[in-house]
Amino acid sequence: MNTALLLALSLTSSADTATFAGGCFWTMEHAYDDVSGVISATSGFMGGSIKDPTYMQVVEGNTGHLESVQVIYDPAKISYETLLWTFWHNIDPFQADGQACDIGPNYHTAVFVRGPQQRKAASASRQQISDRFHREVATQVLTAGSFYPAEEYHQDYAKKNLVRYGMYRTGCGRDRRLREIWGDEAGRVSTRETGYGTREMYTLKTKPSDTELRRALTPLQYEVTQHEATERPFQNEFWDNHKDGIYVDVVSGEPLFSSLDKFDSRTGWPSFTKPLETSNVTEKTDRSLFMERTEVRSAHANSHLGHVFDDGPRPTGLRYCINSAALRFIPVDSLEAAGYSQYLALFRK
């Protein structure tokens, strides 16, 4: 149990509890961070059939649990209705199979209610949304059960991993969808029926500043990713790495390549037959050095990665020749802890 939850439980009985399932719990926890009147927001699971589930059990989709955030709040400072509208303005209430790119039974949305007052408020707000948009709301109103906090590395994820979280929000398309539905209301604490002030909950961070990059990266990583430098062949970190795992952008953490597609190109740089996630890789024509080549960049951080050539092995015939300095390697046994558990199945075949 994390420190924030222990602190909340030690407070007086005047504190109350609200639980919301809004897709990825990183996002929903972040929505309630630092909101006046909120004592704590904890990522975890509710609604399933087993006790003390692990994150891996839940994401496999067989436990019935939904990724949820448990909010401990002071009703003298913030109303349950305000918490409800904060929830609605941070989700797509019409998506039935998850939220944005997060698809699966554990990402379904719900308001877990305690007692008739919460149920009445949740049901009324749900109906207001249906009436406003003239559409059926997919989000359910369910009776709250046992809440199980997620592992510690999931708690305060947005605060502890600001850059990667910002890239996830951009790459997943969640903010884009929220703006389509809610416009200027997206991601805000609502004042509807409350009189409480509004506050921007999330500012899209597409890329760290140059100062932040210089501080976070080594000189070589900075020159390669930001100024298209090329590291020396056979004298870089991953050219002869044979471990199982994935390679992610050193700036953003967006998944780029897998060891399953890595091969020895005898060039002295890590080479791959294809990207792990094609949406995270972009290509552009490079006419430097008096030749025409195809440059490879990461889609969200816009890091220079290397080049792609058509002299690779089957099945693609391609050779993605990538600078080690643009990559961070996540071994298989660290995928879950690093937040890349969706790729574990690739290595179980």
Side-chain angles (χ1 to χ4, degrees):
M1 188 173 295
N2 72 345
T3 303
L5 185 57
L6 287 171
L7 174 63
L9 293 176
S10 68
L11 297 176
T12 67
S13 59
S14 62
D16 210 339
T17 303
T19 308
F20 306 100
C24 174
F25 50 28
W26 298 342
T27 295
M28 293 314 302
E29 181 189 285
H30 185 56
Y32 292 98
D33 280 344
D34 305 320
V35 175
S36 179
V38 170
I39 298 165
S40 70
T42 303
S43 291
F45 316 106
M46 184 175 281
S49 58
I50 67 172
K51 295 182 179 180
D52 297 314
T54 66
Y55 176 71
M56 283 307 301
Q57 288 175 314
V58 173
V59 298
E60 287 175 356
N62 299 318
T63 70
H65 288 285
L66 305 184
E67 291 195 19
S68 306
V69 59
Q70 184 126 298
V71 179
I72 309 298
Y73 67 101
D74 183 349
K77 296 180 179 179
I78 190 169
S79 70
Y80 180 69
E81 287 75 13
T82 299
L83 300 177
L84 268 174
W85 285 102
T86 301
F87 166 72
W88 292 120
H89 288 156
N90 279 277
I91 70 164
D92 174 356
F94 310 111
Q95 185 174 347
D97 59 354
Q99 286 291 286
C101 68
D102 295 317
I103 306 299
N106 56 302
Y107 294 120
H108 292 183
T109 58
V111 180
F112 288 103
V113 295
R114 295 168 174 81
Q117 290 186 330
Q118 285 194 0
R119 182 175 296 278
K120 181 179 179 180
S123 298
S125 63
R126 184 180 186 274
Q127 186 61 50
Q128 289 178 45
I129 293 170
S130 181
D131 292 344
R132 171 180 172 179
F133 292 96
H134 306 289
R135 297 179 62 182
E136 183 177 353
V137 174
T139 304
Q140 295 181 290
V141 176
L142 303 173
T143 301
S146 297
F147 177 78
Y148 302 99
E151 293 85 344
E152 183 60 31
Y153 67 86
H154 287 297
Q155 307 302 331
D156 297 316
Y157 188 89
K159 291 181 178 180
K160 294 185 291 188
N161 302 273
L162 179 62
V163 173
R164 186 176 172 225
Y165 178 73
M167 294 302 175
Y168 155 74
R169 288 288 295 244
T170 305
C172 192
R174 183 157 180 158
D175 288 292
R176 183 168 57 252
R177 179 57 180 155
L178 292 181
R179 287 192 295 271
E180 290 173 358
I181 299 170
W182 298 106
D184 291 341
E185 298 174 53
R188 291 182 182 270
V189 174
S190 175
T191 58
R192 184 185 294 236
E193 300 178 353
T194 67
Y196 291 90
T198 62
R199 187 182 79 85
E200 185 68 37
M201 296 306 301
Y202 176 72
T203 301
L204 187 64
K205 187 178 179 68
T206 57
K207 189 174 181 179
S209 68
D210 188 71
T211 299
E212 290 174 309
L213 288 170
R214 287 181 180 274
R215 184 169 56 245
L217 303 176
T218 68
L220 179 59
Q221 289 171 336
Y222 176 82
E223 290 301 323
V224 167
T225 59
Q226 306 306 305
H227 296 295
E228 295 79 45
T230 300
E231 64 193 4
R232 293 182 179 181
F234 302 104
Q235 298 181 38
N236 55 79
E237 189 173 4
F238 302 126
W239 76 272
D240 62 347
N241 181 32
H242 301 293
K243 296 179 181 179
D244 289 336
I246 68 171
Y247 296 82
V248 304
D249 185 289
V250 72
V251 174
S252 66
E254 55 197 289
L256 299 172
F257 300 98
S258 167
S259 62
L260 299 173
D261 305 308
K262 190 172 185 288
F263 69 99
D264 183 3
S265 63
R266 302 183 185 278
T267 61
W269 290 285
S271 299
F272 307 87
T273 58
K274 64 179 182 180
L276 174 59
E277 296 285 358
T278 55
S279 61
N280 290 342
V281 174
T282 62
E283 299 177 4
K284 61 180 291 187
T285 301
D286 176 7
R287 293 189 174 89
S288 63
L289 303 178
F290 307 101
M291 66 180 78
E292 184 171 302
R293 297 176 294 173
T294 301
E295 181 191 8
V296 180
R297 304 186 73 89
S298 61
H300 307 301
N302 195 31
S303 301
H304 170 74
L305 304 176
H307 293 84
V308 59
F309 304 93
D310 59 4
D311 58 1
R314 294 180 178 180
T316 66
L318 299 175
R319 171 171 60 94
Y320 286 84
C321 188
I322 307 299
N323 289 280
S324 290
L327 304 174
R328 180 163 61 94
F329 178 67
I330 314 293
V332 170
D333 58 6
S334 298
L335 288 176
E336 180 182 358
Y340 299 93
S341 58
Q342 66 267 41
Y343 299 108
L344 280 169
L346 298 176
F347 300 93
R348 291 173 177 165
K349 296 179 180 178

